[in-house]
RNA sequence: GGCCCUAUCGACUAAUGGUUAGGUCACCACUCUUUCAAGGUGGUAGUACGGGUUCGAAUCCCGUUAGGGUCACCA
């Protein structure tokens, strides 16, 4: 039987990075085994539905390079892929369970349940089917009567009193839970919608899912699902519960402690392949002394059996390190094209791709993300408005102004504005004065960029071009210098 | 609190009974240098604890401790 896996998010707004990793592992697993990947939307909670969330989810998944074989956006043999469009299926199955004696009707109001919950300390409340209002306490006939009168009801799973439930998880091994610790879960809500547990089990079976790969937070509800499969007489798919992605304090990754939406990272300028690379290696790795992998390599090397058991802290520093490696190794033309979009987004226009290519080439190894270049070297896009006073004080002496003027004249005298030529001209001049390169390089950098750091100054001059450099130097000497001298 | 899961450098992880416990990020030092980076070289740092099993344990078993998840008519 061929592998069929699914990614089944609920449309509550955006794709969580943990969700992305789950989707990625499902995708890797499906591709590696020439199987199918299904996208199913678990929108059974009407109160949490967010407009546009599904489109957003699909857009982000697509950005990450994940391709589905079936789903709401492409259809497939098991459509519809929205659970909200499969209500009759769940209802039919819930009623089948009542018929078989595996489930029962209950009529407790939310208020009554809340009251019962309040009475028990901590979280010790468990639905007592012998005391609450249901078909066992009020009788079968009375129950049918209430239902026919339109009284709201739910269908609950009738969990055995004291029975060992065993299941095997590919990542965690055998797990045993006693049914006495399992609550009589609601399967069908009073609004006619199924709960996650029912819908999930029914759909995974109907859609012929062979492996369930999902987050560890689902592990505690597996016993309920096992009971459901047994009640229906269905085979349980293979299970794999992934370790959680954690905050720095080791709690489940949450919005409070940083960005959890994939789109936040897209907006910050991380590369798709770098981000996927990073996320994929949280909880699993191919056991080699390297960490840069293409998506194809990740697919080839992926093994569910090698996924870790313990949670992984999401560390942005590591993400930045990986991203910067991609930044350093990607083709410069590709970067220039992408960089243009970022530059324009910042309101700078009119730069040729050739100019941007040179800027990227000069600065990419100094930053972590492509758009960071703009903040790191704003002087490539506009003339400096501020000048680092500390830097000025550190490198200025009474004769520096004279040297700068002379260097300006040297620049004016040449039409060969390459960094090697500029370097040679300056060195020649310095030799005649018995000075060192560092005596003038810093003042020059300050005049041109306003900053104490950046790419090699002669390379920077070359990229900026003669006209721009000359104008900046003249402006600095005439206008800025008097002001700085006053302040220092 | 009940139930369940987990435990290797600060972080991500490798080592599936035999290694001086390895790599990457971060950090530190040195080097290169025209600033900032990048690069190069080197370094600090880990098997939570206690018992077993075994000739031999990070690895298997038990316990302790710690952390996490979960206990809805949410998913």
């Amino acid at each position: 039987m061929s592998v069929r896996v699914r990614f089944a998010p609920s449309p509550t707004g955006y794709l969580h990075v943990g969700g992305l990793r789950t989707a990625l592992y499902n995708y890797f697993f499906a591709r590696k085994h020439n199987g199918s990947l299904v996208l199913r939307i678990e929108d059974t909670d009407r109160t949490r539905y967010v407009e546009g969330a599904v489109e957003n989810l699909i857009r982000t998944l697509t950005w990450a390079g994940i391709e589905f074989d079936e789903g709401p956006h492409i259809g497939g043999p098991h459509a519809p892929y929205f659970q909200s469009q499969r209500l009759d299926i769940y209802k039919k199955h819930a009623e089948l369970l009542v018929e078989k004696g595996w489930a029962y009707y209950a009529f407790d109001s939310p208020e009554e349940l809340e009251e019962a919950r309040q009475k028990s300390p901590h979280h010790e409340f468990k639905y007592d089917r012998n005391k609450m209002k249901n078909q066992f306490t009020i009788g079968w006939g009375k129950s049918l009567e209430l239902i026919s009168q339109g009284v709201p009801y739910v269908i609950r799973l009738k969990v055995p009193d004291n029975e060992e439930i065993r299941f095997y998880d590919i990542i965690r091994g055998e797990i045993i839970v006693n049914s006495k610790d399992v609550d009589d879960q609601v399967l069908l809500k009073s609004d006619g919608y199924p709960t996650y547990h029912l819908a999930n089990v029914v759909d995974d079976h109907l859609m012929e899912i062979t492996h369930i790969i999902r987050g560890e937070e689902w592990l505690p509800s597996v016993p309920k699902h096992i009971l459901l499969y047994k009640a229906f007489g269905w085979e349980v798919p293979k299970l794999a519960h992934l370790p959680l992605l954690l905050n720095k304090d080791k709690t489940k990754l949450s919005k409070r402690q940083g960005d959890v939406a994939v789109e936040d990272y897209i907006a910050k300028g991380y590369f798709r392949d770098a981000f996927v690379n990073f996320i994929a290696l949280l909880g699993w790795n191919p056991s080699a002394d390297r960490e840069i992998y293409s998506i194809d390599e990740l697919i080839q090397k992926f093994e569910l059996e090698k996924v870790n058991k313990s949670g992984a802290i999401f560390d942005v520093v590591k993400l930045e390190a990986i991203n910067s490696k991609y930044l350093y190794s990607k083709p410069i033309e590709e970067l220039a094209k992408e960089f243009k979009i970022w530059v324009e987004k910042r309101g700078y226009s009119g730069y040729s791709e050739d100019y941007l290519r040179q800027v990227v080439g000069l600065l990419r190894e100094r930053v972590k993300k492509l758009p960071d270049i703009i903040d790191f070297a704003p002087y490539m896009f506009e003339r400096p408005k501020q000048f680092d006073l500390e830097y000025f004080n550190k490198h200025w002496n009474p004769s520096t102004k004279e040297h700068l003027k002379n260097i300006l004249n040297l620049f004016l005298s040449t039409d060969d504005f390459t960094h090697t030529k500029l370097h040679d001209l300056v060195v020649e001049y310095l030799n005649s004065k018995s000075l060192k390169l560092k005596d003038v390089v810093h003042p020059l950098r300050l005049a041109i960029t306003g900053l104490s750091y950046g790419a090699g100054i002669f390379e920077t001059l070359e990229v900026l071009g003669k006209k721009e450099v000359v104008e900046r130097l003249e402006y600095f000497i005439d206008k800025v210098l008097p002001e700085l001298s006053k302040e220092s």
Side-chain angles (χ1 to χ4, degrees):
Chain A
M1 187 162 67
S2 71
V3 162
R4 287 178 58 83
V5 292
R6 59 13 175 222
F7 178 57
S10 62
T12 52
Y14 55 86
L15 181 62
H16 189 278
V17 291
L20 173 63
R21 195 204 41 187
T22 302
L24 241 20
Y25 284 10
N26 274 287
Y27 174 62
F28 295 161
F29 189 75
R31 283 293 163 276
K32 164 132 187 182
H33 296 96
N34 292 314
S36 301
L37 175 61
V38 177
L39 177 63
R40 186 174 71 219
I41 305 300
E42 311 229 325
D43 54 346
T44 57
D45 184 356
R46 287 186 296 179
T47 63
R48 295 218 303 178
Y49 183 75
V50 174
E51 197 64 41
V54 174
E55 293 71 20
N56 197 24
L57 230 33
I58 291 171
R59 193 184 329 117
T60 309
L61 256 5
T62 303
W63 172 83
I66 297 172
E67 299 156 323
F68 290 89
D69 300 290
E70 296 171 29
H73 54 316
I74 42 180
H78 299 282
Y81 293 93
F82 285 101
Q83 289 188 326
S84 61
Q85 294 171 15
R86 304 167 63 82
L87 263 28
D88 50 331
I89 297 174
Y90 310 123
K91 184 161 197 231
K92 198 180 78 191
H93 282 86
E95 280 164 356
L96 179 67
L97 252 25
V98 174
E99 257 173 59
K100 288 182 161 188
W102 274 97
Y104 59 91
Y105 295 112
F107 304 89
D108 317 276
S109 68
E111 294 73 28
E112 286 165 337
L113 286 166
E114 188 50 39
E115 199 188 321
R117 242 177 232 116
Q118 291 297 328
K119 282 181 190 160
S120 58
H122 304 294
H123 273 285
E124 279 160 32
F125 174 81
K126 191 162 169 282
Y127 187 85
D128 187 342
R129 80 177 81 100
N130 297 314
K131 290 206 177 101
M132 303 298 284
K133 194 175 175 189
N134 54 54
Q135 77 179 54
F136 300 116
T137 53
I138 67 172
W140 178 249
K142 177 75 176 168
S143 296
L144 293 184
E145 193 185 317
L146 288 177
I147 290 169
S148 69
Q149 286 169 3
V151 173
Y153 68 96
V154 301
I155 292 180
R156 281 182 184 268
L157 179 64
K158 190 182 172 199
V159 176
D161 291 337
N162 188 8
E163 198 173 279
E164 237 176 36
I165 302 169
R166 293 167 174 265
F167 60 96
Y168 182 84
D169 186 278
I170 294 172
I171 295 168
R172 281 150 220 286
E174 185 167 57
I175 295 171
I176 304 168
V177 178
N178 193 296
S179 66
K180 70 175 167 20
D181 295 317
V182 180
D183 204 5
D184 278 6
Q185 181 67 49
V186 169
L187 300 176
L188 196 72
K189 302 184 245 181
S190 58
D191 62 3
Y193 279 63
T195 57
Y196 170 86
H197 309 283
L198 204 228
N200 198 263
V201 166
V202 168
D203 282 346
D204 282 342
H205 175 75
L206 262 26
M207 295 181 180
E208 302 177 86
I209 299 302
T210 58
H211 296 72
I212 296 175
I213 304 169
R214 65 188 4 160
E216 189 189 339
E217 68 268 29
W218 292 110
L219 205 48
S221 52
V222 173
K224 290 169 190 170
H225 304 166
I226 300 291
L227 252 19
L228 280 170
Y229 283 108
K230 191 176 163 191
F232 284 121
W234 295 338
E235 191 187 337
V236 183
K238 297 268 187 296
L239 301 166
H241 288 85
L242 273 19
L244 260 17
L245 257 32
L246 312 172
N247 295 307
K248 275 212 158 44
D249 67 358
K250 293 188 184 286
T251 53
K252 193 167 152 185
L253 193 62
S254 66
K255 192 101 190 165
R256 289 294 287 175
Q257 300 188 40
D259 295 314
V260 296
V262 175
E263 42 194 284
D264 292 335
Y265 293 91
I266 299 176
K268 282 184 177 161
Y270 290 100
F271 293 119
R272 167 189 97 105
D273 38 11
F275 194 69
V276 164
N277 192 154
F278 168 70
I279 294 292
L281 263 33
L282 247 29
W284 166 76
N285 85 69
S287 315
D289 283 347
R290 54 183 277 226
E291 58 182 8
I292 302 297
Y293 296 94
S294 68
I295 290 186
D296 283 340
E297 286 176 307
L298 292 170
I299 290 169
Q300 288 318 310
K301 293 174 188 295
F302 188 72
E303 283 177 72
L304 262 187
E305 290 79 5
K306 294 203 68 177
V307 173
N308 293 159
K309 295 178 177 74
S310 53
I313 293 174
F314 182 99
D315 185 1
V316 182
V317 175
K318 182 85 174 188
L319 167 60
E320 285 183 339
I322 289 179
N323 198 77
S324 67
K325 285 196 178 176
Y326 277 81
L327 182 53
Y328 189 68
S329 60
K330 276 176 183 282
I332 197 87
E333 287 75 19
E334 185 185 323
L335 292 173
K337 277 202 185 76
E338 197 173 331
F339 188 47
K340 190 177 173 73
I341 298 169
W342 288 106
V343 167
E344 284 169 359
K345 204 177 278 183
R346 287 296 201 82
Y348 299 119
S349 55
Y351 291 101
S352 70
E353 210 162 277
D354 181 59
Y355 180 78
L356 296 178
R357 201 179 62 232
Q358 293 184 67
V359 171
V360 170
L362 221 44
L363 294 154
R364 64 168 161 178
E365 62 196 47
R366 276 155 240 267
V367 298
K368 307 292 187 190
K369 310 188 291 290
L370 194 52
D372 290 354
I373 290 173
I374 304 167
D375 299 304
F376 183 78
Y379 53 83
M380 299 311 291
F381 305 97
E382 55 185 82
R383 295 182 179 178
K385 297 189 191 76
Q386 305 243 312
F387 294 82
D388 188 331
L389 192 59
E390 200 181 317
Y391 190 47
F392 170 78
N393 287 331
K394 190 172 171 189
H395 294 284
W396 214 267
N397 67 52
S399 53
T400 310
K401 181 178 176 182
E402 198 54 34
H403 296 316
L404 266 195
K405 277 187 173 173
N406 292 334
I407 286 169
L408 170 58
N409 285 327
L410 285 174
F411 288 172
L412 280 165
S413 72
T414 183
D415 283 325
D416 181 9
F417 221 70
T418 58
H419 67 92
T420 48
K421 177 67 179 178
L422 298 175
H423 176 268
D424 292 347
L425 280 174
V426 170
V427 168
E428 203 178 318
Y429 168 77
L430 290 172
N431 283 343
S432 72
K433 304 276 180 189
S434 296
L435 290 170
K436 295 239 163 73
L437 206 44
K438 65 179 176 189
D439 291 323
V440 81
V441 151
H442 301 292
L444 190 54
R445 173 181 300 284
L446 180 71
I448 300 298
T449 71
L451 298 169
S452 63
Y453 54 83
I457 188 62
F458 296 109
E459 285 85 349
T460 303
L461 297 178
E462 178 183 334
V463 173
L464 284 171
K466 180 172 177 177
K467 180 168 179 289
E468 183 67 21
V469 167
V470 165
E471 285 176 16
R472 286 193 191 190
L473 264 181
E474 283 172 344
Y475 178 80
F476 182 81
I477 292 168
D478 295 344
K479 300 280 173 11
V480 182
L481 207 42
E483 295 300 313
L484 282 179
S485 304
K486 242 184 276 170
E487 282 178 56
S488 61

